[in-house]
Amino acid sequence: MNTHLGRAAVAVAASAITVSLAACGAEDADGRPGAGEAIKVGLLLPENQTARYEKFDKPLIEKEVARLTRGKGKVVYANAKQEAAAQNAQVDMMIANKVNVLIIDAVDAKAIAGAVKKAKDAGIPVVAYDRLAEGPIDAYTSFDNEDVGKVQGKALLEALGDKAKDGQIVMMNGSVTDPNAKLFKSGAHFVLDGKVNVGKEYDTVDWKPENANTNMSAALSALGKGKIVGVYSANDGMAGGIISALKAAGVSNLPPVTGQDAELAGVQRIVAGDQYMTVYKRYAPEAAAAAEMAVTLAQGEKIDGIINQIVDSPTTKGVRSVLVPGVPLTKANVKSTVVDDGVYTVAEICTDRLKSACEEIGLK
């Protein structure tokens, strides 16, 4: 991965880049919308089990497209509900709908490649969002996913302290169809290898909490509940399934469990002391970068000034990218992250059962 010296990704959210919408009204000769024409941005998100997509990504992208186009941009949206075939059909629908650009968060990075090529053949640029889709993509924005795994691994080591060598940890990685899962896993192993004993490791089908629950139950049976000192969980949804399995097995003193996405349920588990940490990913910079690249590409302009990284996918070399860093979230910084950023209110986090726990960490 080569670093570009473009502006920092976190600055994208606050950037004042404005797409010129001054004169002219007809489409350019290459079929791209003219400066006065409305831009249609196709947005394809992968699933609705994870809270972030409908709560954050979609509205943030819609808001940024509207800002960049001064209200002339339109987002055409579809959610694949974790079905790769459905997402491929949605690309066909977007092509038929004559969108000017596509933002795709792939259900299956490999399975989407043919659909991406169809879009390109139709003259529609493609921005891979959050996951590095295969096929001839034009741009990519996500979090620095290997670094996310490192952040999780470091937090787990800190939580374990001297216990790191005393017992075994379980690693619950994400789905093999998601290229990000491979990067999270790689980053975590980079930090953890040689410092902990990995008793069991799983690649969790479709990131589903119920699959993580089943895997964790199997790990408890194989290793013994008294031998597991920590659990690396790649995201919050799976952390919930893992913690349920631990409690069902009668584990009263829960080992530290990691997570990712700062979902409300995950943050509440952290406040309650059931989950140790999550990785808070500021979605606004990622969404802003995707919207800005999409609008710029739709108008046939260059995005070189937007990017901060160059990455390679298995099928495309030198993909112009914006990568955003993640932030470790524990009890100590709930307020300074998700509360101060307006992601959740104290009232949303601190339900009746959590009021005393919230007061202990200064959430009032």
Side-chain angles (χ1 to χ4, degrees):
M1 183 182 291
N2 299 314
T3 301
H4 243 252
L5 297 178
R7 63 175 174 272
V10 288
V12 177
S15 71
I17 296 295
T18 303
V19 178
S20 174
L21 294 167
C24 118
E27 286 192 343
D28 295 338
D30 63 358
R32 305 218 183 274
E37 292 295 298
I39 291 171
K40 281 203 290 190
V41 178
L43 174 62
L44 300 180
L45 295 181
E47 45 101 344
N48 56 6
Q49 290 191 63
T50 306
R52 60 166 289 192
Y53 294 114
E54 302 288 336
K55 184 176 174 65
F56 300 115
D57 299 84
K58 177 179 177 284
L60 284 168
I61 289 171
E62 289 173 334
K63 181 179 179 181
E64 192 66 7
V65 167
R67 185 187 74 81
L68 289 165
T69 62
R70 297 180 185 175
K72 292 183 179 289
K74 177 184 178 183
V75 174
V76 184
Y77 174 63
N79 190 300
K81 298 181 180 177
Q82 202 60 55
E83 295 290 338
Q87 191 167 64
N88 287 344
Q90 288 166 354
V91 173
D92 290 338
M93 176 188 72
M94 294 290 179
I95 294 170
N97 202 13
K98 298 186 184 299
V99 299
N100 304 113
V101 63
L102 273 171
I103 299 172
I104 301 177
D105 190 341
V107 173
D108 185 322
K110 293 182 182 293
I112 200 68
V116 170
K117 185 176 186 305
K118 281 185 187 178
K120 285 290 289 182
D121 289 346
I124 300 171
V126 177
V127 177
Y129 182 69
D130 207 57
R131 297 171 182 172
L132 187 55
E134 296 190 14
I137 59 173
D138 295 271
Y140 168 56
T141 183
S142 185
F143 294 88
D144 189 334
N145 295 311
E146 190 161 339
D147 186 63
V148 166
K150 290 178 181 178
V151 167
Q152 293 169 318
K154 287 175 185 175
L156 184 57
L157 281 181
E158 288 172 7
L160 290 173
D162 293 338
K163 291 182 180 179
K165 289 291 186 182
D166 292 344
Q168 302 182 81
I169 72 163
V170 175
M171 291 193 70
M172 203 73 65
N173 305 308
S175 175
V176 294
T177 62
D178 181 349
N180 288 357
K182 182 179 179 181
L183 294 171
F184 302 144
K185 180 178 176 178
S186 173
H189 271 291
F190 180 86
V191 172
L192 296 171
D193 285 356
K195 295 174 182 170
V196 296
N197 299 310
V198 179
K200 286 289 181 182
E201 183 168 7
Y202 303 90
D203 294 323
T204 309
V205 176
D206 291 339
W207 290 93
K208 289 185 176 180
E210 57 266 36
N211 293 337
N213 182 281
T214 299
N215 292 342
M216 192 66 211
S217 296
L220 285 160
S221 296
L223 302 175
K225 63 184 181 181
K227 299 292 186 181
I228 297 171
V229 296
V231 184
Y232 167 81
S233 172
N235 80 351
D236 288 342
M238 295 194 307
I242 289 162
I243 290 165
S244 292
L246 288 165
K247 289 183 174 181
V251 179
S252 55
N253 187 17
L254 293 173
V257 179
T258 67
Q260 177 182 185
D261 292 329
E263 291 188 354
L264 179 58
V267 173
Q268 289 173 327
R269 286 192 297 269
I270 289 169
V271 171
D274 290 344
Q275 183 174 326
Y276 176 67
M277 65 82 69
T278 185
V279 178
Y280 169 44
K281 294 162 32 174
R282 289 184 162 98
Y283 302 122
E286 184 189 27
E292 187 174 358
M293 289 192 289
V295 169
T296 305
L297 288 167
Q299 290 202 320
E301 303 293 335
K302 293 183 178 180
I303 62 170
D304 294 347
I306 301 171
I307 66 173
N308 70 356
Q309 297 277 342
I310 295 289
V311 304
D312 296 335
S313 84
T315 58
T316 307
K317 303 298 182 186
V319 180
R320 296 165 295 175
S321 307
V322 172
L323 299 185
V324 183
V327 178
L329 184 157
T330 65
K331 277 187 180 184
N333 64 344
V334 172
K335 184 180 183 303
S336 64
T337 52
V338 291
V339 174
D340 286 353
D341 283 359
V343 177
Y344 307 119
T345 65
V346 171
E348 285 177 312
I349 297 169
C350 299
T351 57
D352 288 342
R353 72 178 181 86
L354 291 175
K355 280 191 175 169
S356 61
C358 282
E359 288 173 2
E360 286 179 14
I361 60 172
L363 282 182
K364 299 178 183 177

